[in-house]
Amino acid sequence: MNAMLEVRDLKVTYRSGGRTVPAVRGVDLTLDAGQTLGLAGESGSGKSTLAMSLLRLLPAAAEVTGQVLYQGEDLLTAKWSRMRAVRWAEASVVFQGAMTALNPVHTIGDQLVEPILLHGRRAGEEGGRTTEKQARARAGELLESVGVPARRMRSYPHEFSGGQRQRIMIAMALACRPNLIIADEPTTALDVMVQAQILDLLSGLVRDEGIGVIMISHDLSVLGQMCDRLAVMYAGELVESGPSRQLLDAPEHPYTRALSRAFPTIGDPASRMAPAGLPGDPPDPSALGAGCPFAARCPDVHEVCDSTPVELWPAGPGRQSACLRALPGFPNISTARHEIEPSAEGARS
């Protein structure tokens, strides 16, 4: 059975000031219906660029190559009329920051009704267009399904709390009953109680509706709670992927280990009082060398890491790691540890 979404050798390059900046470098991903895939990594690792490229939402300065196969159809070569039909009706986005994504001069009811009317044949009754009355009824049902009273349809975005606005964004993403939802940091800036409610809501939608979700976050604890599988990005590449619980409990790549240790463990005073960080800064994507891009910050770097190209290699059942130490026979030399100062210059050397 074919995956609902399959990404093959996806590359995204930005043109800026007469130079090219590779933001995503040869990423492969698959997502099945009813599955949730988490994308993790530091800011600037390429997560949002990767996600927005799937529906061709990047600016004109971005050059995208590779394949994005949605139900077997390559969206990167599809006509714009086809992309207009795919967006909202078959795949939708929950954008980061609901206040900036919602239109402040229109009521939330009008903003929910608009995509339902535009893509009415899918959202309405079989064989006909959706009427205004049907669209209003559907909008009210959507609001109720995410815990916002339907009577608030005439309210404007500024009249809601941050958590309510995020719920409204999820309702908008569901307006035309899509098969795929891309959630870009859907719980950013929310308190922990509202965050838990949003995650429970998304989990219920995956379970009850059988949709596929790609969820982006720099918070591994959120992704571990929500996602079936995780993919960790660094410098525009995937450095590790696998089942979420396995990847968090026993990370193979040094970068994944550093991310997981950056969060204090509840009930563990040692981790709370001395959380482990990661020295240095992410590398300049336009000045990457031939070897591992993480070598300059890696605590387990070996002399061959600076010059040997890396790729995702098998690292156990259903798991992959872009680390030379994942290869059979690689020497485990403890004396090859590499210390750097926590500065941008050290990270980019």
Side-chain angles (χ1 to χ4, degrees):
M1 181 178 178
N2 293 331
M4 180 180 69
L5 179 71
E6 187 174 0
V7 178
R8 298 177 180 174
D9 194 26
L10 185 70
K11 298 177 182 177
V12 180
T13 302
Y14 290 108
R15 299 183 299 275
S16 175
R19 65 173 188 150
T20 58
V21 180
V24 176
R25 304 184 297 135
V27 168
D28 297 297
L29 288 174
T30 59
L31 178 71
D32 296 324
Q35 185 182 61
T36 304
L37 172 67
L39 282 179
E42 294 171 284
S43 296
S45 60
K47 306 184 302 297
S48 295
T49 292
L50 168 61
M52 295 303 105
S53 69
L54 302 181
L55 297 181
R56 291 163 64 179
L57 296 174
L58 294 176
E63 179 183 350
V64 184
T65 61
Q67 289 183 305
V68 177
L69 302 177
Y70 170 72
Q71 296 182 341
E73 178 185 10
D74 189 357
L75 297 183
L76 295 187
T77 59
K79 294 182 178 179
W80 282 112
S81 58
R82 172 58 181 154
M83 288 304 304
R84 184 175 181 273
V86 169
R87 295 169 182 167
W88 286 103
E90 299 184 46
S92 57
V93 181
V94 179
F95 292 101
Q96 181 177 350
M99 193 60 189
T100 56
L102 293 170
N103 192 323
V105 300
H106 289 282
T107 65
I108 61 165
D110 288 343
Q111 295 183 64
L112 280 165
V113 166
E114 182 182 14
I116 299 173
L117 291 175
L118 287 174
H119 303 276
R121 191 172 298 278
R122 180 178 174 83
E125 296 178 356
E126 195 68 29
R129 302 293 299 181
T130 300
T131 65
E132 177 81 19
K133 181 179 180 180
Q134 290 172 330
R136 291 280 170 185
R138 169 69 175 157
E141 293 172 359
L142 286 166
L143 288 177
E144 292 287 348
S145 72
V146 297
V148 178
R151 66 177 183 274
R152 301 291 307 275
M153 285 180 59
R154 294 186 178 181
S155 299
Y156 290 86
H158 71 273
E159 299 180 80
F160 295 90
S161 68
Q164 288 175 319
R165 287 194 293 267
Q166 205 64 38
R167 290 170 180 266
I168 293 166
M169 285 296 300
I170 294 174
M172 292 181 68
L174 294 169
C176 299
R177 300 182 176 92
N179 301 316
L180 170 66
I181 290 180
I182 300 170
D184 188 2
E185 300 275 10
T187 60
T188 294
L190 301 180
D191 62 69
V192 292
M193 294 296 292
V194 176
Q195 174 178 283
Q197 294 169 4
I198 296 297
L199 294 179
D200 286 342
L201 174 61
L202 285 172
S203 297
L205 293 171
V206 173
R207 181 182 63 250
D208 299 336
E209 305 292 337
I211 61 178
V213 174
I214 295 177
M215 185 168 178
I216 304 166
S217 180
H218 60 272
D219 190 334
L220 284 180
S221 61
V222 168
L223 296 180
Q225 176 184 345
M226 175 72 187
C227 301
D228 304 307
R229 294 183 59 82
L230 293 182
V232 180
M233 291 192 71
Y234 185 79
E237 297 179 327
L238 292 186
V239 296
E240 187 166 2
S241 66
S244 59
R245 195 69 268 162
Q246 294 181 26
L247 189 143
L248 293 177
D249 289 343
E252 291 284 345
H253 197 281
Y255 180 61
T256 309
R257 290 201 298 271
L259 289 180
S260 63
R261 291 172 181 170
F263 295 93
T265 303
I266 296 177
D268 182 3
S271 69
R272 180 171 60 85
M273 299 301 294
L278 183 62
D281 296 324
D284 183 348
S286 63
L288 292 172
C292 175
F294 187 61
R297 305 172 76 189
C298 181
D300 301 312
V301 69
H302 188 271
E303 59 184 5
V304 299
C305 296
D306 287 317
S307 57
T308 306
V310 294
E311 58 186 75
L312 283 173
W313 292 292
R319 298 189 60 178
Q320 293 178 304
S321 175
C323 181
L324 291 171
R325 294 178 183 273
L327 296 175
F330 185 83
N332 185 15
I333 304 174
S334 59
T335 57
R337 291 189 168 273
H338 186 60
E339 300 293 339
I340 65 169
E341 294 295 325
S343 66
E345 288 301 316
R348 295 171 183 173
S349 60

